[in-house]
Amino acid sequence: MRGYGKIILFGEHVCVYGYPALAVGLSKGVIAQVAKSEEKSHVLVIPSQNLKVSLQGNCALAQVFQKIIRFFPTNLLANKPPCQITLDPEIPIGAGLGSSAALSVAIIRALVQWYKLDWTSPKINEVAFAAESFFHGTPSGIDNTMATFGGFCYLRDAKRFPALTQCENNYPLGKLMGSSLQVQLPEPLRLVVMNTKKERETKRLVANVRTLVEKSPEHYHSIMQEAGGLAKEGLTCLERGEKEKLGALLNRNQELLRELKVSSPQIEVLCKKALSAGALGVKLTGAGGGGCVIAYAPGREQEIQKTVENEGFESFVTTVGVKTRSEEP
Ligand code: MEV
């Protein structure tokens, strides 16, 4: 069972305010396996982090677990033995690639299997949204939706249409979004994902942006409106295969994210290096403040990787928009 990771191409932060965003799912995320618990309570285990958390704990992970488990029928919880869920993160944690939502979805899917429930993905997404509220405070819904479904998501108006409704009913998302990874792009989209290795807290970054918006609503809403517009234009570029323009839009989104004060010195270094090595477009992805930076550099991915790796950063190339499962980190 897996929760997928994601890359936000356009519109992070602004989607929290209802402006559009565009995201692609990674084929990797967080894998869960479920078995009978050897203890008297439910347990989460993450061997790679040397972590074991019981449902009664009070760390952040235990609190999310408690939030999730409240959605499960009490008679089942009372009558079936507790389980141990073993989690295997395949993507960097806290790096803007949707690890928290992927983790929640993996836990939910494991519990659904343990209790032999016939929950649909929309129901799983709903519970994952509640878990994301713990991690993010006021999530737009994009991370949990990507973690549940993978694929491609153009989030049109998160306030009026929650992510899932849009995927099913609004934009031509029959084509863009679904339970699988295939998308009808003229050609697959290859991205270099570079990690600043600086973990950051989405909740705090989202709250910082809110403080700015509350101080100067007019100024920041005009920035956010422009960023949302880029998501729409970016989608058109992808569909038409307009590479140079797509790169320019990504660069503009990064400028706007800088104005929202969610960039960081390491992010800026990565952007500069990747552009100097021939990337058409670069920007942070996710909440910012650290985490990952993406570079769109068709045909020059290796040069970008070499350049940033010489500076001590880690990177990988991923192909999204097609069923490719071999090039993830
Ligand atoms: C985090 O991956 C994306 C944010 O826009 C928060 C959200 O949409 O919930 C920063």
Side-chain angles (χ1 to χ4, degrees), residues 162-211:
L164 180 62
T165 324
Q166 300 189 58
C167 302
E168 289 187 333
N169 300 330
N170 288 311
Y171 202 77
L173 289 174
K175 151 171 114 172
L176 286 174
M177 179 75 194
S179 54
S180 62
L181 290 171
Q182 67 273 44
V183 178
Q184 289 152 22
L185 293 181
E187 57 182 285
L189 177 64
R190 274 166 79 76
L191 295 169
V192 185
V193 182
M194 304 165 285
N195 194 347
T196 63
K197 285 271 186 157
K198 188 168 177 276
E199 281 193 29
R200 76 291 167 281
E201 208 193 318
T202 300
K203 200 172 191 165
R204 190 178 54 78
L205 286 149
V206 169
N208 289 352
V209 172
R210 189 166 296 284
T211 306

Side-chain angles (χ1 to χ4, degrees), residues 6 8 11-13 15-16 96 136 138-143 202 206 286-287:
K6 61 92 188 56
I8 298 185
E12 50 273 274
H13 284 289
C15 55
V16 171
H136 287 195
T138 52
S140 63
I142 200 160
D143 286 11
T202 300
V206 169

Side-chain angles (χ1 to χ4, degrees), residues 49 82 148 194 224 242 305 309:
Q49 313 261 317
T148 306
M194 304 165 285
M224 294 200 289
E242 293 172 344
Q305 283 197 283
E309 282 168 16

